[in-house]
Amino acid sequence: MKCKDFNMEMINRYIDGELNPEEKIRLRNHLEKCKYCRNYIREIRDIISVVKERREVPDRVWERIKKRIHLFNRKRFVCRFIFVPAVAVAVFLFAFIFSAKKGMDISVDDYIQKQLGYLNGEPLIDSRYLEVKSEEYVVDSLLNDEL
Amino acid sequence: MITENIILNAGKRDPDAFQRIYLEFKDFVWNIALKTTGNQTHAEDVTSEVFIRLFKNIRKFEFRSSFKTYLYRVTVNTTLNYLKKENRRKTKHLNEDFKELRDCQIKHEFDEKDLADKLLSKLDINKRILIVLREIEGLSYDEIARTLNMNLGTVKTNIYRARDRLRKIYEEVKDEM
């Protein structure tokens, strides 16, 4: 028959050795009279001792971990010293080619057109350049005249 | 004894420092894995996964908590994730009409297990982790609360209930034997 004064917390604290001396005496007095609580404590202690058993790790676990660490380090090496530099070089080359292409202000077709135009008597130099040159030329000549 | 220096060296991928950490903590990681999963193969998977995670992330350890608490947390989380994946895998298998085959395997596994494994396997996973940390690893209630990020009172109450549940399971198992 279950104990009407059964106190799970008190009993567990007793099992864990957490009761103060006064509580301990009170519980012990109760246990002398109560078979249910005595059996409960014994059963919990038995179960704890059954469950408590520890086992050792098989050696193969460390071998397995070492293999995985080796794989991880290899991947890291490939990533750090091969993949990343390769990507960096590719990005650099792409940027270089792209910027070089952008820097050319005349396409092959335009160049051929200009050359053909020159053969037909058109000026080879960009007219804007000529305008700027002529303005500079005018200013320079005016200054020279003043001097 | 694992010093701060050993942990820092392991963070710099020093294999000797990492091996010292493994030797120091292998047993508790193994026992948590074994008692929680209740299966040697699963325990091997979990233990190696825990140490691989540790190897990859040890440099991020900031010494705010004790290293032991940190490792307990990694172990418990890895075990829970593993069990979730394993359950999904089992469900998938069952859905693929392997139910009969799986039942045979599970029965066979249980025949080979000893009493402790049998008792723990019948406990729900949250209670099982509490029992393993408290009774097998001998952690204090306070350490368990910190490891699982739980309130101290809740930890105590749940452990008392878990013990009581184990006692009832023990009665059932005795009747079956």
Side-chain angles (χ1 to χ4, degrees):
Chain A
M1 203 176 80
K2 193 169 174 177
C3 168
K4 63 178 171 43
D5 296 323
F6 178 74
N7 183 333
M8 190 190 266
E9 193 201 336
M10 181 79 108
I11 283 181
N12 275 284
R13 284 179 56 220
Y14 176 72
I15 291 168
D16 292 329
E18 285 183 350
L19 292 185
N20 63 41
E22 195 190 311
E23 288 173 320
K24 217 184 269 178
I25 291 167
R26 204 153 21 107
L27 184 69
R28 277 186 180 157
N29 287 338
H30 173 74
L31 289 177
E32 275 176 21
K33 291 174 276 172
C34 179
K35 195 179 172 191
Y36 179 85
C37 288
R38 277 203 309 274
N39 282 344
Y40 188 90
I41 291 173
R42 188 178 44 77
E43 283 168 12
I44 296 283
R45 280 183 170 156
D46 284 351
I47 285 161
I48 290 174
S49 67
V50 166
V51 170
K52 228 173 187 148
E53 173 238 11
R54 290 172 63 95
R55 292 181 205 163
E56 284 196 4
V57 196
D59 291 340
R60 62 177 174 272
V61 174
W62 176 238
E63 293 306 315
R64 206 171 143 178
I65 293 168
K66 274 201 300 191
K67 262 186 205 162
R68 286 188 61 189
I69 286 178
H70 179 69
L71 263 178
F72 173 76
N73 282 338
R74 211 167 57 184
K75 270 188 195 169
R76 231 174 101 241
F77 179 83
V78 169
C79 186
R80 185 177 283 184
F81 297 107
I82 299 174
F83 182 71
V84 172
V87 169
V89 168
V91 168
F92 174 76
L93 284 176
F94 179 78
F96 178 75
I97 292 166
F98 186 71
S99 65
K101 201 176 174 187
K102 212 176 170 186
M104 293 158 84
D105 50 5
I106 186 163
S107 69
V108 175
D109 287 347
D110 288 346
Y111 177 78
I112 293 169
Q113 282 299 322
K114 273 191 184 270
Q115 294 298 322
L116 288 173
Y118 177 68
L119 291 175
N120 293 329
E122 290 171 16
L124 191 59
I125 301 167
D126 196 313
S127 55
R128 280 174 301 163
Y129 178 74
L130 285 175
E131 278 166 27
V132 173
K133 265 314 246 189
S134 56
E135 277 171 23
E136 281 174 3
Y137 180 71
V138 171
V139 173
D140 283 348
S141 351
L142 285 170
L143 286 171
N144 285 335
D145 287 348
E146 278 176 20
L147 287 168
Chain B
M1 177 72 184
I2 297 300
T3 60
E4 201 174 309
N5 246 356
I6 295 174
I7 296 169
L8 289 172
N9 286 338
K12 289 172 195 159
R13 317 275 191 223
D14 173 358
D16 292 337
F18 188 73
Q19 189 171 9
R20 283 189 69 178
I21 292 175
Y22 173 78
L23 292 173
E24 179 78 18
F25 295 110
K26 65 184 168 78
D27 285 336
F28 86 64
V29 173
W30 170 252
N31 277 290
I32 291 176
L34 185 65
K35 300 284 180 178
T36 316
T37 59
N39 174 306
Q40 176 112 359
T41 315
H42 294 340
E44 286 183 21
D45 289 346
V46 170
T47 306
S48 48
E49 188 60 36
V50 167
F51 282 101
I52 292 299
R53 275 194 192 188
L54 188 67
F55 181 78
K56 289 180 185 171
N57 297 313
I58 196 166
R59 62 173 63 193
K60 293 179 193 159
F61 179 65
E62 291 171 340
F63 298 92
R64 281 189 202 154
S65 60
S66 82
F67 184 69
K68 206 174 169 187
T69 308
Y70 167 75
L71 190 52
Y72 273 127
R73 205 172 291 153
V74 174
T75 308
V76 170
N77 289 339
T78 310
T79 310
L80 288 175
N81 286 339
Y82 183 86
L83 287 173
K84 266 186 215 162
K85 270 188 206 162
E86 196 53 28
N87 280 341
R88 274 203 295 270
R89 198 182 61 81
K90 272 185 188 173
T91 313
K92 203 177 158 196
H93 273 269
L94 288 171
N95 290 342
E96 287 166 2
D97 290 329
F98 284 114
K99 191 173 186 313
E100 204 178 327
L101 179 68
R102 297 288 307 169
D103 284 348
C104 288
Q105 284 175 348
I106 289 165
K107 195 168 183 302
H108 180 65
E109 272 175 29
F110 270 106
D111 289 343
E112 288 176 352
K113 280 180 190 170
D114 66 4
L115 183 60
D117 292 348
K118 208 168 191 175
L119 293 174
L120 284 169
S121 70
K122 293 196 172 200
L123 207 59
D124 77 65
I125 185 66
N126 295 329
K127 289 193 175 84
R128 209 185 306 165
I129 283 174
L130 288 169
I131 288 291
V132 169
L133 292 179
R134 173 71 194 171
E135 314 300 358
I136 298 164
E137 295 307 322
L139 261 73
S140 69
Y141 289 114
D142 201 41
E143 282 177 309
I144 296 173
R146 268 185 277 130
T147 302
L148 302 178
N149 272 335
M150 279 168 83
N151 177 285
L152 183 62
T154 314
V155 167
K156 283 186 177 181
T157 313
N158 286 341
I159 288 178
Y160 302 160
R161 283 184 190 152
R163 283 172 176 169
D164 191 54
R165 180 78 196 109
L166 266 183
R167 191 183 66 93
K168 284 173 186 157
I169 293 170
Y170 186 49
E171 291 298 315
E172 290 165 15
V173 169
K174 263 201 308 195
D175 291 342
E176 282 171 20
M177 282 170 15

